[in-house]
Amino acid sequence: MVTLIQRLAAMSDPSQMSASSAGQPIPKRLVPPHIEALKPYQPGRPPEQLKKELGIDKFINLASNENPLGPPESALKAIHETLLDMNRYPEMGGMKLRTALAERYNVKVENVALGSGSESTMANIVRAFLHGDDEVLTSQGTFIGLYVLVRAQGVKLNMVPLKNYAFDLDAIAAAINERTKIIYLCNPNNPTGTIITRNQFDDFIKKVPEHVLVILDEAYYEFSGDNPAFPDSMSYRLDNVLTLRTFSKAYAMAGIRLGYGLGHEYLIDFVNRIKLPFEPNCLAQAAGLAALADDDFLSRTLVNNKVGMQLITQELDRLGLMRVPSHGNFILVEMDTAERVAQLHEGLLRHGVAIRPLTAFGLPTCIRITIGKPEENEQLIKGLRAVVATMA
Ligand SMILES: Cc1ncc(COP(=O)(O)O)c(C=O)c1O
């Protein structure tokens, strides 16, 4: 028997449409074309399966730009104290955390939107502002989450190529057209680790019409904020700029999903109208409030990153691997071919180290390595030495 799902799914194949519609009312297509065109997420092999396959009992994950130090004690304590409230919905406006963030950035609560991860806030921005023939303009080789959200919204995504692994702001400015609604910039950029400098941003923003929104994704802000060349978007207070930041990286809370957007209250109001009512969950909000005040954890994170970055870059240079100077908590390495990327990836897996090949980012000859804890970096270096020696 043909089920309803099979009948509706068949409608997406135009060759089936006339046959199945003979004499019958045509059912509506089940999945809109822009959703059908989305590629399904390709998960890597689960760690347990990999361990079995490769005969390894421990893996270190240097593939996802997470903070290797583990969650802040302060956040864990706050979570424990909040557990008994788990039967209650969180306070609707997330006022405590929004107030703390507003104080941190010297803005009003109305300038802050929370999300279950900054990607959730990005999704809310996409849903709040994009429709019809609006277009989004960005670069190739940046955060793929943006590409997925824009395509899922059914609007056109225009991309210019990277230039020297960085956003080519001249090309982006030249590609603005009358349908451009949002420009997405990622600073520092994931996965290349490059930054848009203050001078470059100052020059670029003059060319952006006021009605075009600029999303400045600063997920890795804390790793670059003290660099005088870095244009901290919050120091500009531009009405058409929405800043995204997160607790997932420097604050080591990726698993609990907590991020936020900052911007003009007129825009943030709509982002908050779109947001699912009780996001983020109560544990995430409590943990975020505690972590935000935990300067000690943040400075330990930054020191660990700086030391690890230095060690790994030195080793990459010694091994003659081509790397891009990074302003985040990760390093991009370019190999000669995609085959060599696969060799390095598989080889490191055998040494118990997971890194990220970047084919999905449109960079098939590149890999990205996240900075780990000292002992993880040592394991990576051992693995790199061994694998590179077999690749000569
Ligand atoms: C540039 C960038 N933006 C956003 C995110 C998503 O962060 P979150 O965990 O806050 O959703 C990531 C995560 O890797 C990222 O690299």
Side-chain angles (χ1 to χ4, degrees):
M1 199 180 77
V2 179
T3 67
L4 178 65
I5 293 289
Q6 282 165 337
R7 211 151 66 86
L8 294 179
M11 295 308 295
S12 42
D13 176 355
S15 66
Q16 300 274 316
M17 225 171 278
S18 49
S20 69
S21 65
Q24 292 175 20
I26 298 176
K28 271 211 157 137
R29 188 185 191 126
L30 183 61
V31 182
H34 63 279
I35 300 293
E36 221 169 46
L38 295 176
K39 294 201 179 77
Y41 173 66
Q42 298 289 347
R45 286 168 284 176
E48 288 316 310
Q49 185 187 331
L50 271 177
K51 281 185 205 162
K52 245 193 219 159
E53 273 178 30
L54 304 174
I56 285 164
D57 46 55
K58 202 168 154 260
F59 251 106
I60 57 168
N61 187 359
L62 303 182
S64 307
N65 297 350
E66 296 152 344
N67 187 326
L69 298 187
E73 285 292 328
S74 53
L76 291 177
K77 185 163 171 282
I79 288 172
H80 279 128
E81 285 164 5
T82 312
L83 280 173
L84 290 176
D85 292 332
M86 233 171 68
N87 56 321
R88 307 278 175 208
Y89 287 107
E91 181 266 309
M92 181 89 158
M95 291 308 274
K96 275 195 193 161
L97 181 55
R98 284 172 69 206
T99 303
L101 286 166
E103 280 168 11
R104 162 67 56 105
Y105 294 115
N106 196 18
V107 295
K108 292 180 285 186
V109 170
E110 292 78 10
N111 300 120
V112 185
L114 301 179
S116 293
S118 59
E119 203 169 345
S120 177
T121 303
M122 200 189 315
N124 293 333
I125 294 170
V126 163
R127 285 165 61 218
F129 301 115
L130 293 173
H131 77 131
D133 61 0
D134 289 342
E135 296 182 5
V136 174
L137 178 57
T138 188
S139 180
Q140 291 168 358
T142 186
F143 180 54
I144 45 181
L146 182 270
Y147 304 154
V148 176
L149 290 173
V150 171
R151 288 179 175 137
Q153 187 72 2
V155 305
K156 190 164 176 224
L157 179 64
N158 296 318
M159 291 185 274
V160 306
L162 288 168
K163 187 174 172 188
N164 296 330
Y165 302 95
F167 272 74
D168 182 350
L169 293 184
D170 289 336
I172 291 185
I176 296 172
N177 66 38
E178 68 284 2
R179 289 180 299 282
T180 305
K181 173 75 77 71
I182 288 182
I183 295 174
Y184 170 87
L185 306 178
C186 186
N187 205 27
N189 185 39
N190 176 18
T192 59
T194 51
I195 57 166
I196 294 164
T197 64
R198 187 173 278 279
N199 288 344
Q200 288 167 339
F201 182 73
D202 291 351
D203 189 41
F204 171 74
I205 202 72
K206 286 187 216 133
K207 301 177 195 158
V208 177
E210 275 176 7
H211 63 271
V212 174
L213 295 182
V214 177
I215 299 180
L216 255 170
D217 185 338
E218 294 177 346
Y220 301 93
Y221 161 74
E222 289 82 1
F223 298 102
S224 265
D226 65 354
N227 177 349
F230 181 82
D232 171 356
S233 62
M234 289 307 292
S235 68
Y236 286 82
R237 304 292 156 98
L238 297 166
D239 287 353
N240 61 337
V241 170
L242 286 164
T243 299
L244 291 174
R245 291 190 184 168
T246 182
F247 285 88
S248 295
K249 310 295 176 184
Y251 290 100
M253 288 167 38
I256 208 161
R257 315 300 299 124
L258 183 65
Y260 53 98
L262 301 158
H264 193 283
E265 57 256 45
Y266 175 78
L267 302 175
I268 291 292
D269 177 29
F270 293 105
V271 178
N272 278 329
R273 288 190 210 186
I274 292 286
K275 186 178 85 63
L276 289 178
F278 297 104
E279 261 189 26
N281 71 67
C282 61
L283 304 180
Q285 290 191 39
L289 200 58
L292 195 62
D294 196 341
D295 293 338
D296 176 53
F297 181 81
L298 185 59
S299 53
R300 279 194 293 120
T301 294
L302 298 184
V303 169
N304 180 72
N305 194 61
K306 198 171 169 186
V307 173
M309 180 72 80
Q310 207 167 13
L311 188 77
I312 296 173
T313 52
Q314 270 169 7
E315 186 61 25
L316 292 171
D317 292 349
R318 218 183 58 78
L319 291 170
L321 295 172
M322 210 303 279
R323 63 166 176 93
V324 177
S326 172
H327 298 264
N329 63 345
F330 54 88
I331 309 178
L332 180 129
V333 175
E334 173 132 41
M335 309 292 287
D336 298 337
T337 60
E339 289 69 39
R340 286 192 151 238
V341 165
Q343 273 177 313
L344 189 61
H345 179 221
E346 283 293 322
L348 283 175
L349 282 178
R350 284 174 211 288
H351 283 83
V353 181
I355 56 168
R356 175 63 46 102
L358 296 174
T359 306
F361 282 73
L363 301 168
T365 53
C366 299
I367 50 145
R368 191 191 62 199
I369 304 173
T370 304
I371 308 301
K373 287 190 284 200
E375 60 274 26
E376 294 174 332
N377 299 334
E378 288 300 338
Q379 190 175 336
L380 166 77
I381 286 172
K382 255 198 214 156
L384 277 172
R385 286 179 185 164
V387 178
V388 169
T390 65
M391 287 169 72

